[in-house]
Amino acid sequence: MRKLKEIINPEIVYLQGNTLVPSKSIAYKYDGEIEKNIVIEKASTHKFENELKEDLKKELKNVNIFPTDKNVLVSIVHGINSGTEYKKCDLDNRAKCILDALKGVVYFDDSQVKMLWTHKAFIINSQESFFRISVKILDEEIIKRISSQISRLI
């Protein structure tokens, strides 16, 4: 049986050093009848998303499979060199920031993200933090294989 690494050979690997991904904050507001989710987007978050989107457009300019209309697996790694930043790193809000930047460039809508793997790593003795994005276009066969391998791990 092929190893998980062979199955998930990504179509995109994007790495950016000396960068921390900002968190996209979500507030909950109750208007007396229903609770509403309100996305609070700081200027720095908006700027980060736009810059990442533009950089990815340049990187993928001659790659005709993107944006795809197929389901995808997105893997996001945050390498963080500060203990304080590592402790306060909110993975879900940082992932949302990246997923929104991928919309329209890598896929048409983030509902196409069938699988999401994100984690943070504390990197000791490093001068800079980084983030790494990998994207794999999925078909049913790959989904079954990945699911089977992952179910053995957890």
Side-chain angles (χ1 to χ4, degrees), residues 11 27 32-34 43 59 65 87 99 101-102 110 119 121 128 138:
E11 277 78 26
E33 293 182 24
I34 60 170
E59 293 281 328
I65 59 173
K87 287 178 186 172
L99 294 175
L102 298 179
D110 50 13
H119 69 279
E128 62 182 38
L138 299 173

Side-chain angles (χ1 to χ4, degrees), residues 65-123:
I65 59 173
F66 293 109
T68 184
D69 60 354
K70 297 187 165 103
N71 289 325
V72 296
L73 176 148
V74 177
S75 169
I76 305 167
V77 178
H78 301 273
I80 302 170
N81 67 347
S82 159
T84 304
E85 187 66 35
Y86 179 82
K87 287 178 186 172
K88 71 177 190 173
C89 177
D90 190 349
L91 284 177
D92 62 324
N93 289 339
R94 291 182 190 215
K96 181 70 175 146
C97 189
I98 289 175
L99 294 175
D100 286 349
L102 298 179
K103 192 185 319 185
V105 180
V106 174
Y107 45 73
F108 292 104
D109 189 80
D110 50 13
S111 66
Q112 292 171 247
V113 178
K114 180 88 171 179
M115 297 178 165
L116 174 63
W117 176 272
T118 184
H119 69 279
K120 59 184 178 180
F122 183 53
I123 47 176

Side-chain angles (χ1 to χ4, degrees), residues 34-58:
I34 60 170
E35 187 176 273
K36 295 179 182 178
N37 297 344
I38 301 168
V39 176
I40 301 168
E41 195 167 317
K42 297 177 271 187
S44 61
T45 306
H46 189 66
K47 181 178 185 261
F48 173 86
E49 282 181 28
N50 286 337
E51 288 174 356
L52 178 56
K53 188 179 288 270
E54 288 307 311
D55 199 30
L56 285 167
K57 279 181 186 176
K58 288 177 196 167

